[in-house]
PDB file of all heavy atoms in Angstrom:
ATOM      1  N   TYR A1382    -145.881 -41.677 121.594  1.00 82.00           N
ATOM      2  CA  TYR A1382    -146.253 -40.324 122.067  1.00 82.00           C
ATOM      3  C   TYR A1382    -147.444 -40.239 122.979  1.00 82.00           C
ATOM      4  O   TYR A1382    -148.431 -40.884 122.715  1.00 82.00           O
ATOM      5  CB  TYR A1382    -146.566 -39.411 120.928  1.00 82.00           C
ATOM      6  CG  TYR A1382    -146.815 -38.020 121.249  1.00 82.00           C
ATOM      7  CD1 TYR A1382    -145.783 -37.203 121.545  1.00 82.00           C
ATOM      8  CD2 TYR A1382    -148.084 -37.514 121.373  1.00 82.00           C
ATOM      9  CE1 TYR A1382    -145.980 -35.830 122.031  1.00 82.00           C
ATOM     10  CE2 TYR A1382    -148.325 -36.215 121.692  1.00 82.00           C
ATOM     11  CZ  TYR A1382    -147.315 -35.454 122.041  1.00 82.00           C
ATOM     12  OH  TYR A1382    -147.543 -34.131 122.537  1.00 82.00           O
ATOM     13  N   THR A1383    -147.397 -39.529 124.042  1.00 72.00           N
ATOM     14  CA  THR A1383    -148.474 -39.330 124.854  1.00 72.00           C
ATOM     15  C   THR A1383    -148.418 -37.711 125.213  1.00 72.00           C
ATOM     16  O   THR A1383    -147.284 -37.210 125.270  1.00 72.00           O
ATOM     17  CB  THR A1383    -148.439 -40.010 126.285  1.00 72.00           C
ATOM     18  OG1 THR A1383    -147.230 -39.773 126.955  1.00 72.00           O
ATOM     19  CG2 THR A1383    -148.547 -41.450 126.071  1.00 72.00           C
ATOM     20  N   GLU A1384    -149.511 -37.080 125.415  1.00 65.00           N
ATOM     21  CA  GLU A1384    -149.557 -35.636 125.631  1.00 65.00           C
ATOM     22  C   GLU A1384    -149.137 -35.255 127.010  1.00 65.00           C
ATOM     23  O   GLU A1384    -148.543 -34.186 127.147  1.00 65.00           O
ATOM     24  CB  GLU A1384    -150.960 -35.086 125.257  1.00 65.00           C
ATOM     25  CG  GLU A1384    -151.142 -35.258 123.791  1.00 65.00           C
ATOM     26  CD  GLU A1384    -152.215 -34.231 123.254  1.00 65.00           C
ATOM     27  OE1 GLU A1384    -152.399 -33.206 123.822  1.00 65.00           O
ATOM     28  OE2 GLU A1384    -152.951 -34.717 122.311  1.00 65.00           O
ATOM     29  N   ALA A1385    -149.409 -35.982 127.993  1.00 55.00           N
ATOM     30  CA  ALA A1385    -149.093 -35.631 129.417  1.00 55.00           C
ATOM     31  C   ALA A1385    -147.666 -36.149 129.770  1.00 55.00           C
ATOM     32  O   ALA A1385    -147.485 -37.387 129.743  1.00 55.00           O
ATOM     33  CB  ALA A1385    -150.131 -36.189 130.335  1.00 55.00           C
ATOM     34  N   ASP A1386    -146.834 -35.237 130.007  1.00 52.00           N
ATOM     35  CA  ASP A1386    -145.422 -35.593 130.362  1.00 52.00           C
ATOM     36  C   ASP A1386    -145.342 -36.628 131.498  1.00 52.00           C
ATOM     37  O   ASP A1386    -144.606 -37.513 131.488  1.00 52.00           O
ATOM     38  CB  ASP A1386    -144.624 -34.301 130.838  1.00 52.00           C
ATOM     39  CG  ASP A1386    -144.099 -33.580 129.558  1.00 52.00           C
ATOM     40  OD1 ASP A1386    -144.073 -34.224 128.457  1.00 52.00           O
ATOM     41  OD2 ASP A1386    -143.650 -32.397 129.738  1.00 52.00           O
ATOM     42  N   GLU A1387    -146.198 -36.442 132.510  1.00 51.00           N
ATOM     43  CA  GLU A1387    -146.098 -37.410 133.764  1.00 51.00           C
ATOM     44  C   GLU A1387    -146.502 -38.818 133.418  1.00 51.00           C
ATOM     45  O   GLU A1387    -146.126 -39.739 134.121  1.00 51.00           O
ATOM     46  CB  GLU A1387    -146.963 -36.872 134.819  1.00 51.00           C
ATOM     47  CG  GLU A1387    -148.413 -36.779 134.627  1.00 51.00           C
ATOM     48  CD  GLU A1387    -148.816 -35.428 133.961  1.00 51.00           C
ATOM     49  OE1 GLU A1387    -147.928 -34.713 133.628  1.00 51.00           O
ATOM     50  OE2 GLU A1387    -150.020 -35.277 133.874  1.00 51.00           O
ATOM     51  N   GLU A1388    -147.213 -39.060 132.319  1.00 57.00           N
ATOM     52  CA  GLU A1388    -147.678 -40.377 131.963  1.00 57.00           C
ATOM     53  C   GLU A1388    -146.545 -41.056 131.002  1.00 57.00           C
ATOM     54  O   GLU A1388    -146.694 -42.284 130.761  1.00 57.00           O
ATOM     55  CB  GLU A1388    -148.985 -40.374 131.140  1.00 57.00           C
ATOM     56  CG  GLU A1388    -150.116 -39.847 131.957  1.00 57.00           C
ATOM     57  CD  GLU A1388    -151.430 -39.777 131.188  1.00 57.00           C
ATOM     58  OE1 GLU A1388    -151.527 -40.441 130.146  1.00 57.00           O
ATOM     59  OE2 GLU A1388    -152.305 -38.919 131.580  1.00 57.00           O
ATOM     60  N   LYS A1389    -145.555 -40.487 130.587  1.00 58.00           N
ATOM     61  CA  LYS A1389    -144.626 -40.999 129.603  1.00 58.00           C
ATOM     62  C   LYS A1389    -143.689 -42.026 130.345  1.00 58.00           C
ATOM     63  O   LYS A1389    -143.121 -41.682 131.381  1.00 58.00           O
ATOM     64  CB  LYS A1389    -143.793 -39.866 129.038  1.00 58.00           C
ATOM     65  CG  LYS A1389    -144.507 -39.041 128.077  1.00 58.00           C
ATOM     66  CD  LYS A1389    -143.662 -37.953 127.448  1.00 58.00           C
ATOM     67  CE  LYS A1389    -144.502 -37.026 126.704  1.00 58.00           C
ATOM     68  NZ  LYS A1389    -143.764 -35.900 126.285  1.00 58.00           N
ATOM     69  N   SER A1425    -145.060 -32.298 118.917  1.00 90.00           N
ATOM     70  CA  SER A1425    -146.292 -32.992 119.374  1.00 90.00           C
ATOM     71  C   SER A1425    -146.991 -33.827 118.247  1.00 90.00           C
ATOM     72  O   SER A1425    -147.919 -34.427 118.501  1.00 90.00           O
ATOM     73  CB  SER A1425    -147.269 -32.048 120.060  1.00 90.00           C
ATOM     74  OG  SER A1425    -147.657 -31.075 119.131  1.00 90.00           O
TER      75      SER A1425
END
Side-chain angles (χ1 to χ4, degrees):
Y1382 184 78
T1383 60
E1384 292 200 30
D1386 277 343
E1387 62 274 5
E1388 294 176 23
K1389 292 180 184 173
S1425 60

